[in-house]
Each structure stands twice: as C-alpha cells, then as structure tokens.
Amino acid sequence: MKNGTNTKLILLHPSIHKPSTSSHRFFFLFFIAFFTLAFTLTLFTTTTISNSSTPSLSTAASSFLPSSVTTALLHYASTATANFTTHHMSSPELSAIASTLHRCPSSPCRFLVFGLTHESLLWHSLNIHGHTVFLDESEYLVSSFERTHPEIEVYDIQYTTKVKQMPDLLSLAKSHIENECKPVQNLLFSDCKLAINDMPNHIYDLSWDVILIDGPRGYFPDAPGRMAPIFTAGVLARSKKRGRKTHVFVHDFERDVESISSDEFLCEENLVETVDSLGHFVVEREEASDSKKSEFCKNFTSSSPSSVSLTSGDDDE
C-alpha cells in the first residue's frame, strides 16, 4: 500500500489558438453602439436641415406667379422692343384700366373686351381671378389665339356696319329709340341695326363690371367701326341685373366714330376722365320702367356729323 499521494495541479488558461468569446461580444456590442449613435446623429442632422429648409421652399413655392402672368410678362419682354410700328396703349391708359380692374365693384370681376390686341394677355392676367371674355371680328385671329392660349375665353363675331354708314345708322337708331333701339332691352332679340346679337348667349345674361372697346377696326370707310360695340355696351350697362355701375372704356376716343357714338350712347354726363386716347365712362343700371322716356342721355346735344373724318387716330389692326 502506498501511503504517498500525488497532488495534481490543473491550470486553466486560454488557448493561444482560440479567440475569447467575451472579447468578441465586447467588440460586437461596441460596433452596435457606434453604429446606432452614428445613425441617430445622421437622422437628427438630416431632419434638422430638412425642417430648417422647409419654410424657404414653401416661401419660394408661394411666390410663383400664375402661369398666365408669366406668359404675359414673357410676351411683353419679347415684343416691347420688336414692335415699334404697332400702335399700343400708352402707360397712362394701361394704368387707368388696371386701376379700375383692381377696384372692381364686384368679385369675381367680369370684364368684357371688344378686340384682340397687343394688350389682351395683360387684361386676362390683371383679372386672373375674375371672368374675362374677348370678342373679335377676325375668325382666323380668334382661332389662332385659342390654339396658343386655350385657357382664355375668346369668340369671333360678325359686324354688319361700316364706318361710312355712321351718320345714317345713328339717325336710324334715334328714330327707333322707343322700340328696337331703346336703352334697356334684351339685345339677344333686338332688331336694332347697331345691336350686336350674335354673341354667345351667356354674354347677354352676365352683368359686366368693366367693358373695354378697342375693336373692331375703324380707320377706313369700309371698316366695321365701333358704333355697334359702343351702342351694345351702353345697353348692357343699363340692362344689367347685378350691380349698379359699369365702367366702359373707349380707346381711340379722339376719332369721330368713337367720340360721337360715345356721346350718343354712353353720354357726356357719364364721362369721368379722358387719358390720352382713352375715354372712361361710368354708366348706371336703369330699370325697365325708368326707360319709358327712352333716351340714353339726360343732357344731350346732338353732334352727329353728315360725314365722318378718318384723319385722326391710328388703329392697332
């Protein structure tokens, strides 16, 4: 029997050939923490920049002009120096009409324009939140304008009058002022020679706030002249169903046809201002019962000529 005991010492130590599991876990946790911190910082920074830039983007978006305004500005920028021979309205004339549209008595403002001119895009843009309608004698011009600007309402109408007929037409209108040519009536069914009754039906039903007469042509004897638009504007203003007053502008007011027809149907007592070649009238609505007297003007002195002078004024057509 052996009395001696052999004590064995067992030493545990990491193998130099096998990596420690706890070390792996430490580095893994460190990597996850670092990645999480980096992601959080990146997200926070991106959100902050995005939030700080949002007001600028909103401001920029809200400052964009309506497309029609942009189109008008481009139109004038490209043609202002190119069309020296075309007759345009003067700056004071443009300002007078723009100011009236800005102070339009109703909203939305209803603006009726006789004549497609260099200023047409401007009128539509200035009344961008209102209702603007253009009327022109040229079917070709209307068709071309519609293709280029489909958002704008424009119609072609036919005139049966001629400048050289003005004395006879005015005389005929005054002789029928009790019936066909009375100041308050439905023009759609009128037999007056100066009444325009081939416009779209809804134009007769609307109460126009502003009417501009810058067409048709009127600078030679066989041109249609503006007697009919002036007569029609006078009747529309007096026959309207909504609102009391209508602003009527007559361009080329220094010419015989425009000035004499305006005296007959818009009336001198309604003339509030003349700006260069622009006459500005304010015509009040009349009730049908008030029209028993059947006269356009309260204080009227006939100025109808036996002939028409065409020497003054130019035309933009």
Side-chain angles (χ1 to χ4, degrees), residues 149-219:
H149 308 287
E151 75 281 5
I152 298 180
E153 189 175 352
V154 55
Y155 305 98
D156 64 280
I157 56 176
Q158 302 301 314
Y159 293 96
T160 60
T161 58
K162 293 183 179 180
V163 168
K164 63 185 180 183
Q165 300 171 337
M166 187 187 75
D168 294 335
L169 289 169
L170 293 184
S171 178
L172 187 63
K174 285 190 286 187
S175 67
H176 290 84
I177 200 169
E178 298 289 339
N179 37 65
E180 290 95 343
C181 300
K182 56 188 177 182
V184 179
Q185 60 170 304
N186 187 342
L187 286 170
L188 186 59
F189 306 104
S190 178
D191 291 324
C192 183
K193 295 293 185 182
L194 286 177
I196 302 174
N197 51 21
D198 70 334
M199 298 184 290
N201 289 2
H202 70 279
I203 291 180
Y204 301 98
D205 297 329
L206 294 174
S207 296
W208 299 99
D209 301 297
V210 184
I211 300 176
L212 169 62
I213 300 168
D214 201 8
R217 296 165 297 160
Y219 56 94

Side-chain angles (χ1 to χ4, degrees), residues 207-277:
S207 296
W208 299 99
D209 301 297
V210 184
I211 300 176
L212 169 62
I213 300 168
D214 201 8
R217 296 165 297 160
Y219 56 94
F220 60 95
D222 287 325
R226 299 177 185 174
M227 305 84 69
I230 291 173
F231 172 85
T232 298
V235 174
L236 288 174
R238 292 176 173 86
S239 307
K240 67 190 297 183
K241 297 178 176 61
R242 178 177 65 87
R244 289 294 306 172
K245 298 179 179 180
T246 302
H247 294 263
V248 181
F249 292 92
V250 180
H251 196 217
D252 299 313
F253 186 60
E254 77 284 357
R255 299 192 305 201
D256 280 350
V257 169
E258 284 75 7
S259 62
I260 294 173
S261 297
S262 296
D263 284 346
E264 290 278 355
F265 306 119
L266 300 177
C267 308
E268 187 177 359
E269 67 259 24
N270 296 325
L271 180 64
V272 295
E273 65 175 338
T274 56
V275 181
D276 294 342
S277 295

Side-chain angles (χ1 to χ4, degrees), residues 5-24:
T5 59
N6 294 328
T7 302
K8 295 182 179 180
L9 178 63
I10 299 176
L11 297 177
L12 298 177
H13 58 83
S15 172
I16 59 173
H17 301 292
K18 185 181 292 186
S20 170
T21 302
S22 61
S23 177
H24 271 196

